[in-house]
Amino acid sequence: MQRIVVLTGAGVSAESGLSTFRGGGGLWDNHRVEDVATPEAFARDPDLVQRFYNERRAKAREVQPNAAHTALAQLARADGVHLTLVTQNVDGLHEAAGSPRVIHMHGALDGALCAACDHRWPAPLVIDGSTPCPACGAKAARPDIVWFGEVPYHMDEIAEALGQADIFAAIGTSGRVYPAAGFVDYASAQGATCIEFNLDASEVAQSFDDHRIGPATQTVPAWIAEVTG
Ligand code: NAD
Ligand code: ZN
């Protein structure tokens, strides 16, 4: 049994038409990340933050998974492979491609979270200041997304999978956002072979054993054919 951990980032969804963070300054669809993806931003201007995520949620529902998402769904079902698929993405494209289990370490656009009581429920298309929590009634709904400064989800489970991995593959992630950017060093220290898939070398490229440079829709299916072939 080959144990494989895959970490995906915004780059895996780029060819589906969802924008990544652009440039070192961190713009996401023309917004500065600190204006839309932090608890401070939400406290300062909740309407702007809700609008930003409502737009991302609407856009994510319009697009289709691409060949990289599809190949990863096939990898999960391949004989002799145990796959743990971890994503930093908040879109649902891995699920749309048929991946049976996806660990959303940064949450997901299709989830709503009550800031008053921590209840979670499926997000309506639009969340705003008048959306009531179905559990406590508070008008404190927010996207169930892990903002900068908040603690990512499922870290114990991810660490356990990384510790047992034969192969760690990072796909379309810039290596700028921790703790995900540190997964390669952890997996490598535990004995995994580490492969990076990106258009260019990422910030943490030197930690990987192998680099597949090019668009994920080409490099990822080719690698999965090698692994399963
Ligand atoms: P990032 O935007 O910082 O980096 C994307 C990386 O993907 C870059 O290194 C880029 O070179 C690479 N890339 C772009 N197109 C590619 C392609 N076609 N094939 C292969 N690689 C490609 O993304 P990140 O590292 O995931 O960090 C951004 C954070 O922002 C994440 O935590 C995530 O929560 C959030 N985010 C999510 C989405 C989404 O859900 N689709 C989109 C933007 C940002
Ligand atoms: Zn509540």
Side-chain angles (χ1 to χ4, degrees):
M1 183 66 79
Q2 280 197 90
R3 303 187 74 87
I4 303 178
V5 177
V6 169
L7 170 71
T8 62
V12 82
S13 296
E15 291 167 85
S16 290
L18 297 181
S19 54
T20 62
F21 278 168
R22 276 178 295 241
L27 282 187
W28 186 359
D29 264 11
N30 299 318
H31 291 272
R32 292 192 320 155
V33 166
E34 51 276 33
D35 291 341
V36 290
T38 61
E40 293 75 19
F42 188 56
R44 195 169 51 232
D45 193 346
D47 292 344
L48 171 73
V49 173
Q50 298 282 23
R51 266 201 317 277
F52 175 76
Y53 284 102
N54 289 336
E55 283 165 19
R56 304 279 75 68
R57 186 179 302 107
K59 177 78 182 159
R61 288 183 190 188
E62 277 170 19
V63 300
Q64 302 298 322
N66 64 48
H69 298 106
T70 304
L72 287 165
Q74 285 162 357
L75 183 62
R77 296 189 168 79
D79 290 335
V81 170
H82 180 278
L83 175 66
T84 303
L85 178 56
V86 181
T87 189
Q88 301 169 86
N89 294 343
V90 296
D91 65 52
L93 290 177
H94 287 303
E95 288 88 344
S99 278
R101 170 113 208 285
V102 186
I103 300 177
H104 279 274
M105 65 178 289
H106 291 164
L109 288 165
D110 63 10
L113 167 65
C114 175
C117 79
D118 284 342
H119 179 68
R120 292 183 162 81
W121 71 100
L125 192 52
V126 171
I127 303 178
D128 62 26
S130 69
T131 308
C133 167
C136 77
K139 291 184 174 151
R142 54 167 277 185
D144 189 9
I145 295 219
V146 178
W147 287 324
F148 287 93
E150 297 183 321
V151 181
Y153 297 150
H154 311 297
M155 288 303 294
D156 291 348
E157 188 183 354
I158 295 168
E160 193 181 330
L162 289 170
Q164 297 173 359
D166 301 304
I167 299 174
F168 170 69
I171 303 171
T173 178
S174 59
R176 285 199 301 262
V177 179
Y178 282 82
F183 290 176
V184 58
D185 287 330
Y186 184 76
S188 185
Q190 308 285 314
T193 299
C194 299
I195 314 175
E196 174 168 270
F197 297 78
N198 205 303
L199 294 177
D200 307 295
S202 77
E203 297 284 318
V204 291
Q206 72 289 347
S207 294
F208 287 87
D209 303 296
D210 190 4
H211 299 89
R212 307 288 171 100
I213 302 291
T217 54
Q218 292 172 25
T219 56
V220 173
W223 169 64
I224 288 172
E226 273 170 44
V227 169
T228 59

